[in-house]
Amino acid sequence: MLRVDILLLDLVVVLALARLLGYGARLVGQPPVVGEIVAGIALGPSLLGDVIGRDLFPEDILSPLKALADVGLVLFMFVVGLELDQRLVKGKGRVAAGVSVGSTALPFVLGCGLALLLVDDHAPEDKKLAFVLFLGAAMSATAFPVLARILTDRNMHRTRLGGLALACAAVIDVLAWTVLAAVVAIAGSGEGQWKIVLVVPFGLLMIFVVRPLLRRLVPSYERAGRLTPNLLSLVLLGMFGAAWTTEYLQVHFIFGAFLFGALMPRGGAAEKLNHEILERLEQLAVLLLLPMFFVVAGLSVDLTTLEASSVWTLLGILVVAIVGKLAGAYVSARFLGVPRKESAGLATLINTRGLTEIVILSVGLQKGVLDTELYSLMVVMALVTTAMTGPLLNLVYPREQVARDLAEAERAALGEHLVHRVAVVIPDLGHADALATAGAAAAAEHDSAELVLVHLPRYPGERLEVGLGLSEELAELTSILGRLESAAARVRTPRLPVQVHTRFSADPEGELDAFVSAAEPDEVVGPLIPSP
Amino acid sequence: MLRVDILLLDLVVVLALARLLGYGARLVGQPPVVGEIVAGIALGPSLLGDVIGRDLFPEDILSPLKALADVGLVLFMFVVGLELDQRLVKGKGRVAAGVSVGSTALPFVLGCGLALLLVDDHAPEDKKLAFVLFLGAAMSATAFPVLARILTDRNMHRTRLGGLALACAAVIDVLAWTVLAAVVAIAGSGEGQWKIVLVVPFGLLMIFVVRPLLRRLVPSYERAGRLTPNLLSLVLLGMFGAAWTTEYLQVHFIFGAFLFGALMPRGGAAEKLNHEILERLEQLAVLLLLPMFFVVAGLSVDLTTLEASSVWTLLGILVVAIVGKLAGAYVSARFLGVPRKESAGLATLINTRGLTEIVILSVGLQKGVLDTELYSLMVVMALVTTAMTGPLLNLVYPREQVARDLAEAERAALGEHLVHRVAVVIPDLGHADALATAGAAAAAEHDSAELVLVHLPRYPGERLEVGLGLSEELAELTSILGRLESAAARVRTPRLPVQVHTRFSADPEGELDAFVSAAEPDEVVGPLIPSP
């Protein structure tokens, strides 16, 4: 019988600790996921040990907790698939493909090499091959969501480097999940193993039958004008159905959920549909269920039983993971003509393992490929690589460089100007019309002039870790652009071209100066005192 | 170890069947909850029996399923508490209180009487008192969410009868949960029983400390301008914390969740906050987790083992539940001066047991007060009383009467008119300004005239069962009213008063005629062909 009082207490404790340590991580400049992983480990045997641990997480509560964690994981992997966006790779295909392969192949090979040293001590007799391949695959992951978060936090996702990093991470995502699925298939054992051959027809069915069917969701979404319960039910059914199928086929349910997300329709009205689905699933899944996953993952981490020899193993893992990834990415980026500094930044960014690694490791543990010791050490590796990204990035690609990149991107966007350029700074959209009119009046005093309306809104508060947040941002920017454009339309004449310019900023007042100097205006119109 | 393939399969099967039968229920004019309860029973031993049942729901999957169901139930009870709205009772306090007490007391007393007949066969030795009281309490429930759904489906929630029914249901809700909590407290047994005395200080703490703290959420919500992950986390923490506390105090977790929802801040910006919270929690909780509750509840229903004597018991239960509720409500309503027809309608409406009853019954089963047989019979009673509401209502309070009520309510709202009244029918808000101007021109030809702008939008598609849906509706109406008012403001002069009028309609074209005749205009302005 389920002990519901313990279940509820666990939910409260886990929720509170995950938020608290996530917040703490932010305070020291780390992505929240670092704190959340630590929260999971802290609740496990390493810290609480047998004293509180046995009371908080008795044996019979584990499978209910795991049920919640698994439902959260299905939703999460669907979101990861849904946010996979081919457009991220567009125009960067060559570099993205090259860097992805390079930054995956080297840690994979090195990981397999390390695995050969460890195989006798750690691998089960019947899974030696799977063990070697799994360790290789686990070394080559990159956490797309964490990466996206780091980029948006630093305002880097609109720079060339940011775009490149997102493109590489998207390709690595597909690569890593595919390789992992193959490894898990190999690792499968015993009866039912034959089902694995059905994976290929299942994949074809998904691509050639389910995907076209999913496209039909869009017109019925447009007709309803909103995400109806029926539509959301269909999506949930498909997601859990696909997850169940891959689990049944002896792979793992995460692949089905990911694939289903990746096959959701794109473009046009579908984007709005996806955005609404994200909005419904994300917060509850991420806030309530995913912390359960961290804890279930953390409960298996036991750092207390590590022996002296483990330190050497850990060192080996860290070297393979970090050096393999950094060198693989840097060398292949340089080889493809990416400048030195950007190559270093790129390598640093895709070294982030984050949540993705934890998911992969828990698959390995569950499939019996990893033992507890190696699992624990690999979790530490995930933690270290994620935590090192920020500080290392500050070294190889300082924030001033990012600011220069942004200014350059903006200068390129505005184009060269040969006429009198009037920049109108609009701190508050309510005054857009009045300020545009004032700008037009200033411009009218010159024979040939142009107007640039600028509005830099502040970033919308905290964002969720999972979920790029880009889609929400896009929706807001679109609405802001609409208002700017309507102000522009009022003053635009055949003789006065008007451009509008907006983007989110972490520090609107500070960045305004940078922007204004990048736009190289001949005249600036705006309220003297920026509104708070 | 959790068998995740079975868990996922169960999720898919339950989700699909619940939606399917819910849809089927709608086809035959029943609220979806009827189909969903049937889905839960169908998956249990009564229908699938041991053949498929054992494969789909093996022993060791029950506690993971129950974990999902319980998380869903916490969210659901929070929503029920959140949607409790004192304003529903405002101005109807006397009648609402009287009818609530009458319609609760009679079935309670009759239920206790019936229980005395059953106590020797069904009650455990040490819980005879709890058994009697519980059966009484279980007879007197009313399902507020189902009732609200029936009312909005019939467009009745804006009539006097609908308002009265909602007010009564709100009071009964509080009454029933309080009585049930007391009964459960009495039923508690063995060690830890003393904790029950802590319930009172806990309630006081919630009201005098937690409630004021919750009010502080509103300013920080206003500052952020949206529901941030931090705010939602706080609400989730509070909800699960309160749920855990009441469970720990030997009552039941549903009461804590309900109380926390009821203590959320109200009015002003808080309404927008609550609306956003609902939006996030409702769909996922209702679509994904609540069906699990129906199934867990249904798995305990076994109609195959019933004996001949059970038929008499069932008959007794049905008579007590239906006659007790109908007579109690009707007599007390008549006594308080409610007209005959409305009293009958009111009694019919609050006879709906729906989901609320299932929650109560599962508490009884879990606390060991009900045995499987009586539990099964009571579930049948819940089903019957819910399914009979619609047909019986058609008899005692036909739809034509509802239409008359609506027309009367609208006539009353517009007031008598002694001047030339011009009704402007606006099928499409985009033309509101133009049509208002046309109406003003028509009115200008008369010495003293008034203008009424009418817009009847179509109901926004399907609504969720749980969750009144009133809050969403309210938000939309407010935005529509804003646009109508801005059109009105353009033509309003000291000599031309302008009223605006809007409400949702299931059949805008048809009801427009009814409305226009109710408004008794001297002149109608509008496009000749109503836009589709």
Side-chain angles (χ1 to χ4, degrees), chain A residues 100 103-105 107-108 134-144 168-169 172-173 175-177 179-180 321 325 347 349-361 378 381-382 385-386:
Chain A
S100 305
S103 71
T104 320
F108 185 85
F134 181 86
L135 217 61
M139 291 293 181
S140 32
T142 285
F144 185 78
C168 292
I172 295 175
D173 235 11
L175 221 62
W177 293 122
V179 171
L180 186 68
K325 201 78 178 176
L349 280 166
I350 58 184
N351 185 38
T352 307
R353 298 301 199 291
L355 183 47
T356 308
E357 184 73 41
I358 308 284
V359 173
I360 293 176
L361 296 177
M378 291 291 281
M381 182 273 282
T385 55
T386 309

Side-chain angles (χ1 to χ4, degrees), chain A residues 17-19 21-22 25 31-41 291 294-295 465:
Chain A
L17 199 66
R19 288 305 288 178
L21 295 195
V33 72
V34 170
E36 283 157 9
I37 297 176
V38 171
I41 299 176
F294 285 116
V295 164
E465 172 77 8

Side-chain angles (χ1 to χ4, degrees), chain A residues 92-116:
Chain A
K92 315 183 189 77
R94 210 178 111 263
V95 176
V99 173
S100 305
V101 171
S103 71
T104 320
L106 190 59
F108 185 85
V109 172
L110 291 180
C112 291
L114 180 68
L116 288 175

Side-chain angles (χ1 to χ4, degrees), chain B residues 476-510:
Chain B
E476 273 196 64
L477 277 187
T478 310
S479 115
I480 291 171
L481 272 177
R483 291 168 74 180
L484 281 182
E485 265 304 336
S486 101
R490 292 167 61 102
V491 296
R492 185 178 283 135
T493 65
R495 292 197 46 231
L496 180 67
V498 184
Q499 295 192 54
V500 302
H501 195 89
T502 187
R503 62 171 167 84
F504 283 105
S505 163
D507 171 23
E509 286 80 29

